[in-house]
């Protein structure tokens, strides 16, 4: 069991701790919900544990499919052990159904099903509000090595296949999700951060009920109730 040391970094939803092993970190999932770059914020008791549990489950599923992530093990309700990674400031979003920013940006109708999954890249930069970028920007700005970027896109589409099928078996539609990547201690590229209802859109296949963070973003209902419904179905 690794020993927890100093805080390396505190974000909006997580605290990252160093451990006695320089290659390993502990992620502590907070009970804080934020949206719109932290403009909207609330403390929701139990949210951290739900996201840690759901994220751990998803990382285990991906591991079984041979997809590399930083996940090592779930340590407790709110904490997981991960490999330390050099994070690339790029968010890779995959969309199966139009929702969120793609509706505002390009005029798609919410709920429109895409002919094929759409991959989008965003520059992770709070001051600039995570703008949409293309491959050429990533190359010019050295956000990630270009051969890694190709791998990241490919992996994101594979994750989409795996998770879309997985959620569909539980009566849930995977609308879209965001992944982050980094260079792991062994030099390879893997998924980092979390994969939780904070970073995915999940709709009940029958009723269309939104079960993800959009409940909080747009006051659609109790956030925790949505997350609990997701966890109940997938575990
Ligand atoms: P978007 O429609 O707002 O661009 O979001 C696309 C997906 O990315 C959605 O599943 C929510 C997720 N997401 C994050 O994980 N972090 C963010 O900061 C934003 C804006 C979206
Ligand atoms: N993750 C961002 C925030 O916490 C934006 C969002 O998810 O809507 O502010």
């Amino acid at each position: 069991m690794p020993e927890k040391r100093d805080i390396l970094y505190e974000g909006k939803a997580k605290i990252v701790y160093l451990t006695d092993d320089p290659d390993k970190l502990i992620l502590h999932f907070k009970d804080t919900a934020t949206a719109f770059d932290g403009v909207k914020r609330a403390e929701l008791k139990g949210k951290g544990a739900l996201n840690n549990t759901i994220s751990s489950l998803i990382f285990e599923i991906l591991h079984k499919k041979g997809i590399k992530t930083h996940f090592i093990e779930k340590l407790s309700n709110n904490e997981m052990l991960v490999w330390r990674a050099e994070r690339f400031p790029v968010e890779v979003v995959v969309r199966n159904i139009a929702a969120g920013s793609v509706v505002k940006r390009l005029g798609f109708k919410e709920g429109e099903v895409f002919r094929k999954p759409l991959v989008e890249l965003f520059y992770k930069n709070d001051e600039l509000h995570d703008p949409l970028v293309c491959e050429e920007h990533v190359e010019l700005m050295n956000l990630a090595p270009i051969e890694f970027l190709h791998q990241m896109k490919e992996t994101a589409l594979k994750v989409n296949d795996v998770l879309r099928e997985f959620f569909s078996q539980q009566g849930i539609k995977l609308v879209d999700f965001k992944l982050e990547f980094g260079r792991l201690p062994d030099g390879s590229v893997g998924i980092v951060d979390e994969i939780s209802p904070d970073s995915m859109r999940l709709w009940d296949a029958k009723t269309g009920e939104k079960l993800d963070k959009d409940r909080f973003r747009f006051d659609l209902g109790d956030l925790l109730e949505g997350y609990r419904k997701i966890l109940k179905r997938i575990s």
Side-chain angles (χ1 to χ4, degrees), residues 23-103:
D23 282 341
K24 294 175 182 173
L25 301 172
I26 290 173
L27 298 190
H28 177 101
F29 287 72
K30 301 198 283 190
D31 282 339
T32 312
T34 72
F36 313 118
D37 294 330
V39 169
K40 183 168 178 172
R41 158 187 298 265
E43 288 303 307
L44 302 170
K45 203 167 154 41
K47 172 184 179 274
L50 280 161
N51 271 356
N52 185 36
T53 306
I54 294 169
S55 234
S56 296
L57 265 163
I58 290 177
F59 280 138
E60 274 161 14
I61 291 165
L62 298 182
H63 177 76
K64 282 189 200 132
K65 296 285 181 182
I67 297 169
K68 262 202 138 155
T69 78
H70 68 162
F71 179 75
I72 302 173
E73 61 176 326
K74 183 169 182 256
L75 296 175
S76 63
N77 278 346
N78 286 69
E79 293 185 333
M80 68 165 71
L81 185 67
V82 301
W83 293 109
R84 186 170 187 166
E86 176 207 331
R87 300 218 299 189
F88 304 123
V90 178
E91 299 189 338
V92 182
V93 169
V94 181
R95 303 177 189 273
N96 298 305
I97 299 173
S101 72
V102 81
V103 169

Side-chain angles (χ1 to χ4, degrees), residues 62 65-67 153-163:
L62 298 182
K65 296 285 181 182
I67 297 169
K153 283 179 159 180
E154 227 171 86
T155 302
L157 285 169
K158 192 167 170 196
V159 169
N160 187 48
D161 287 341
V162 171
L163 293 187

Side-chain angles (χ1 to χ4, degrees), residues 12 33-40 91 126 130 198 213-214 217:
K12 285 174 288 200
T34 72
F36 313 118
D37 294 330
V39 169
K40 183 168 178 172
E91 299 189 338
D126 271 345
D130 299 352
D198 274 17
K213 198 165 102 175
D214 273 350
R217 291 191 187 98

Side-chain angles (χ1 to χ4, degrees), residues 155-222:
T155 302
L157 285 169
K158 192 167 170 196
V159 169
N160 187 48
D161 287 341
V162 171
L163 293 187
R164 194 160 53 159
E165 169 71 15
F166 171 72
F167 281 113
S168 144
Q169 285 167 358
Q170 328 302 327
I172 295 174
K173 279 188 198 170
L174 177 60
V175 175
D176 58 33
F177 62 93
K178 179 266 302 176
L179 297 179
E180 293 181 33
F181 291 84
R183 200 194 305 250
L184 301 173
D186 68 2
S188 66
V189 179
I191 298 169
V192 302
D193 198 56
E194 65 185 277
I195 307 180
S196 74
D198 274 17
S199 60
M200 294 185 275
R201 286 197 174 89
L202 298 169
W203 295 352
D204 185 293
K206 268 208 194 107
T207 63
E209 186 189 8
K210 295 177 178 175
L211 303 171
D212 56 78
K213 198 165 102 175
D214 273 350
R215 295 169 81 95
F216 173 73
R217 291 191 187 98
F218 306 111
D219 299 313
L220 304 177
D222 182 4

